[in-house]
């Protein structure tokens, strides 16, 4: 039976089936050019009202890396210490300042909807999380493994790396080529019938 | 200069550059086999602790579609009325019941971390949102256009389609082949330097 998928098998494997969350990495560096190519691909993926709330800090200095590691849970510290590149992904809680430019078709949106702190906060986090998913796919598209983590002291990271009260970290992502024993055995996925119902 | 991307150009276009959020669709139906193939691809993409909180209701009957349409904001109603398939994506707020099976390496997780309602709620929503991003990519991998929407009365949809207080809708996604005038002009994306900083 022909597959309903149009995406070629090699791309399916690269992005989904063979890609894995890595726990160790080789020493091969990850350049700014590579990260930029990843962003230039994934920036087109959709967000609500095109609001694009994801912001990323690339941790490149030894000093910044040690400061970040100190805010991670113990079991995540070595992974981040040894990855060639580490990215802090955050939600920009004041993304609405850019809305008149990125969503010019409805200029009232900024004040009509997103003046409300709770609505804005929820939209900032959920859309940055969507973009985290795209970012993971984009890194895989560059032949890299991503190791996204949420085991950290978020308030401490916000203060240490942003300090403006306007950003909230949603994930720390280790990035690089997978090293020796990079992954655990794959864990079970839910069956189609456990996830999908029809009405 | 060679691109740092490994993913072939055709796949890049299919998933990111040429794919667009559609507002109109052709009549061509979207089969359960296609949806299952999409899920069987994207189920491998990562969630925190493999928790897989996304649940999906495929709206296929006329009656269910009209009930859904009645809870959408006016500007979304026609899109959902005319799409060949509509999916309601929700977060399973009691995903932790499955954790001992899907994350057997740390059986304490269910009670040690996710007994806390607030932590569980946040994890349910953020990981279902990640999976929404993967689902959009998966639909595109099947040559389909996705039209994700958040303009609706969420409480009404939860009550109408789940009614158990254990699910919270995060998006309604129209699905199909793009029709005539399917999309608006592409909106501006943020520049790399607006999103990424280095420390």
């Amino acid at each position: 039976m022909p597959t309903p998928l149009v995406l070629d098998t090699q791309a399916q494997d690269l992005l989904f089936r063979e890609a894995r969350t890595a726990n160790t990495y080789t020493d091969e560096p990850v350049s700014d050019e590579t990260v930029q190519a990843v962003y230039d691909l994934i920036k087109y993926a959709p967000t609500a009202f095109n609001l694009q709330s994801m912001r990323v800090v690339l941790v490149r200095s030894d000093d910044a890396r040690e400061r970040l590691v100190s805010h991670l849970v113990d079991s995540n510290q070595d992974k981040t210490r040894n990855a060639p590149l580490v990215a802090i992904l955050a939600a920009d809680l004041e993304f609405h300042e850019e809305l008149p430019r990125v969503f010019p078709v409805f200029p009232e949106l900024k004040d009509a909807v997103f003046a409300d702190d709770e609505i804005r906060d929820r939209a900032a986090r959920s859309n940055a999380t969507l973009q985290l998913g795209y970012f993971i796919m984009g890194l895989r598209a560059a032949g890299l493994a991503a190791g996204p983590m949420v085991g950290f002291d978020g308030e401490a990271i916000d203060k240490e790396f942003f300090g403006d009260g306007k950003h909230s970290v949603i994930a720390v992502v280790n990035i690089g080529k997978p090293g020796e024993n990079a992954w655990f055995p794959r864990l079970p996925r839910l069956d189609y019938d456990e996830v999908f119902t029809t009405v």
Side-chain angles (χ1 to χ4, degrees), chain A:
Chain A
M1 213 185 83
T3 169
L5 298 183
V6 174
L7 186 70
D8 59 276
T9 307
Q10 200 180 351
Q12 292 175 30
D13 288 341
L14 180 71
L15 298 181
F16 293 100
R17 271 194 298 261
E18 291 178 4
R20 299 286 310 280
T21 293
N23 297 302
T24 70
Y25 301 88
T26 70
D27 291 337
E28 192 178 327
V30 179
S31 69
D32 287 343
E33 289 68 29
T34 296
V35 179
Q36 181 149 4
V38 167
Y39 178 68
D40 282 340
L41 182 66
I42 64 142
K43 68 183 179 188
Y44 294 115
T47 53
F49 306 109
N50 195 37
L51 63 79
Q52 308 170 68
S53 49
M54 179 186 76
R55 301 292 179 270
V56 185
V57 176
L58 299 175
V59 179
R60 292 215 176 264
S61 72
D62 291 345
D63 166 66
R65 181 161 328 207
E66 268 316 304
R67 286 187 285 131
L68 174 60
V69 165
S70 72
H71 301 307
L72 303 178
V73 300
D74 288 352
S75 56
N76 283 338
Q77 295 193 347
D78 273 350
K79 295 184 228 175
T80 291
R81 243 186 223 111
N82 297 321
L85 178 62
V86 182
I88 302 171
L89 265 69
D92 180 350
L93 306 178
E94 304 223 328
F95 68 85
H96 65 319
E97 298 294 343
E98 316 302 330
L99 275 183
R101 179 164 57 103
V102 295
F103 202 69
V105 289
F106 183 27
E108 302 81 5
L109 190 64
K110 178 186 163 197
D111 298 315
V113 175
F114 292 116
D116 181 302
D117 287 347
E118 197 185 316
I119 292 177
R120 195 174 68 246
D121 191 270
R122 202 161 54 220
R125 289 173 203 280
S126 65
N127 284 281
T129 301
L130 259 184
Q131 290 187 286
L132 164 63
Y134 305 145
F135 186 61
I136 293 169
M137 291 295 127
L139 292 169
R140 292 171 168 193
L144 296 165
M149 309 183 306
V150 291
F152 47 65
D153 179 342
E155 281 180 34
I157 291 178
D158 292 347
K159 198 172 162 187
E160 182 90 48
F161 290 94
F162 299 100
D164 59 1
K166 299 174 184 173
H167 294 79
S168 180
V169 60
I170 58 163
V172 171
V173 183
N174 303 317
I175 301 168
K177 291 271 170 71
E180 277 183 43
N181 302 314
W183 26 70
F184 306 121
R186 180 159 252 160
L187 293 165
R189 296 307 196 261
L190 297 176
D191 291 336
Y192 178 77
D193 292 340
E194 296 179 283
V195 175
F196 288 77
T197 53
T198 299
V199 293

